[in-house]
DNA sequence: CTTTGCGTTTAGAATGTTCTAAACATAGAA
DNA sequence: TTCTATGTTTAGAACATTCTAAACGCAAAG
């Protein structure tokens, strides 16, 4: 491959890496995805190692992260014992899935913890004076509001 | 304040902190916001220091982060020289603003970098053989696709 | 069975983030 | 002016993440 083209490819990879870094993701994972995305042929793990100049351990770990996200897919290449990968090109879908997965997992956890807090409020409520009763009432209201918010967010996710 | 109530408050704060941590945000900022959110009265910086058991430097830095996000607001309390804060209770709005701000900033940057890559492709294209021409054509297509995606994301933001 | 090629795991180095404690700045009180 | 109360900045400690190099495991080739 012409080295001028390589420069362009590497520039593209660099953009993707810093983009990923900005979003709080691992920038090597971003670079790896970009390399697979821009390549018309499947790429092997050691080609990734070569092109990105990172250790194969690093590549090994991050390719599995990308696989778990559904961002890349292993493909079989006739006559080679190596693992080759190609990108899932539907980036929007990848992002959506990651957001959905992350948020539904968390809203569930948080809801159950908030319910626990509500129980605590309930059982504490019995032996309180007027002043403290007022505070717990505020707490109840706020916690209920957060639960509503959480339901709303889940609803939003469904329509995306 | 009754210590039973304090326990509940602190549990709520803890939930918020771990939620923030999960989302890649600073968990102290999350705890601070939660404290202000659950409190019916404005809270001063040294009360935050006391309740969360973190240094005042830490509180000073994170309160400005929260202010920048529009998540909290300084309020004046008669007869005190301290700075008091209250939470902006519209959490969904805070989240939306942060997402919008972050993404529009980035899509702009990325678009301009991609345009730069397109220029490089354009000027490289002149002196290429058939094989390399094919590669640059693929690159052009992919970069154009990403630009389309970026426009689509910005569109999505506008309707949220 | 032994060797080779390839991916995975792991220990610890390198780097990045967040936190504290202390120095500092500043406005108001005395 | 000097002292006090308050918030900010900063140097570096504590902690967390990411990376590499090397050891390891295993399947295919010889």
């Amino acid at each position: 491959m012409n080295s001028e083209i390589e420069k362009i490819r590497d520039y593209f990879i660099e953009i993707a890496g810093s983009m990923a870094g900005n979003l709080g993701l691992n920038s090597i994972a971003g670079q790896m995805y970009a390399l697979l995305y821009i390549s018309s042929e499947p790429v092997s793990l050691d080609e990734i190692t070569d092109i990105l100049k990172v250790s194969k351990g690093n590549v090994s770990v991050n390719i599995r992260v990308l696989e778990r996200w559904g961002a890349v897919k292993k493909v079989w290449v006739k006559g080679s014992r190596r693992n080759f990968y190609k990108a899932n090109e539907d980036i929007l879908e990848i992002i959506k899935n990651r957001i959905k997965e992350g948020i539904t997992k968390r809203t569930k956890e948080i809801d159950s913890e908030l319910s626990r807090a509500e129980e605590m409020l309930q059982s504490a409520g019995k032996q309180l004076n007027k002043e403290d009763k007022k505070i717990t009432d505020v707490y109840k209201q706020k916690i209920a509001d957060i639960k509503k918010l959480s339901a709303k967010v889940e609803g939003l996710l469904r329509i995306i």
Side-chain angles (χ1 to χ4, degrees), chain A:
Chain A
M1 190 195 283
N2 180 312
S3 86
E4 189 61 27
I5 298 186
E6 283 181 13
K7 252 186 238 158
I8 297 169
R9 180 199 63 194
D10 291 350
Y11 183 58
F12 181 78
I13 290 172
E14 187 193 323
I15 296 171
S18 75
M19 185 176 6
N22 270 328
L23 297 170
L25 309 174
N26 184 308
S27 79
I28 296 297
Q31 291 188 3
M32 287 173 56
Y33 177 78
L35 170 55
L36 298 182
Y37 180 83
I38 198 102
S39 303
S40 33
E41 299 300 320
V43 183
S44 71
L45 293 183
D46 72 326
E47 284 175 299
I48 297 175
T49 301
D50 271 12
I51 295 171
L52 302 185
K53 307 291 182 217
V54 292
S55 70
K56 60 182 189 149
N58 199 350
V59 169
S60 176
V61 169
N62 280 301
I63 200 75
R64 263 171 300 148
V65 171
L66 290 173
E67 267 186 301
R68 187 154 39 76
W69 294 352
V72 306
K73 207 168 154 19
K74 199 182 281 193
V75 296
W76 179 69
V77 168
K78 213 161 63 175
S80 174
R81 284 166 54 195
R82 301 189 175 173
N83 292 351
F84 286 77
Y85 289 85
K86 65 171 187 174
N88 165 5
E89 305 204 355
D90 191 343
I91 297 176
L92 203 49
E93 196 202 52
I94 298 168
I95 295 174
K96 271 164 28 183
N97 285 343
R98 264 183 52 75
I99 291 178
K100 281 189 189 180
E101 194 191 317
I103 295 200
T104 45
K105 185 170 155 252
R106 259 121 212 181
T107 47
K108 277 204 182 83
E109 280 172 23
I110 287 159
D111 281 354
S112 90
E113 302 213 69
L114 289 178
S115 300
R116 168 116 181 68
E118 280 175 332
E119 283 164 29
M120 285 164 77
L121 278 168
Q122 210 53 47
S123 60
K126 288 159 191 164
Q127 70 256 356
L128 293 178
N129 61 35
K130 219 171 171 182
E131 197 54 39
D132 286 344
K133 188 78 176 45
K134 229 161 115 185
I135 298 175
T136 59
D137 282 349
V138 173
Y139 285 12
K140 276 181 194 167
Q141 187 54 53
K142 303 260 165 118
I143 289 176
D145 287 348
I146 302 253
K147 281 191 147 184
K148 255 184 246 154
L149 171 66
S150 146
K152 198 168 172 184
V153 169
E154 288 220 59
L156 272 179
L157 281 187
R158 231 162 285 124
I159 65 158
I160 277 178

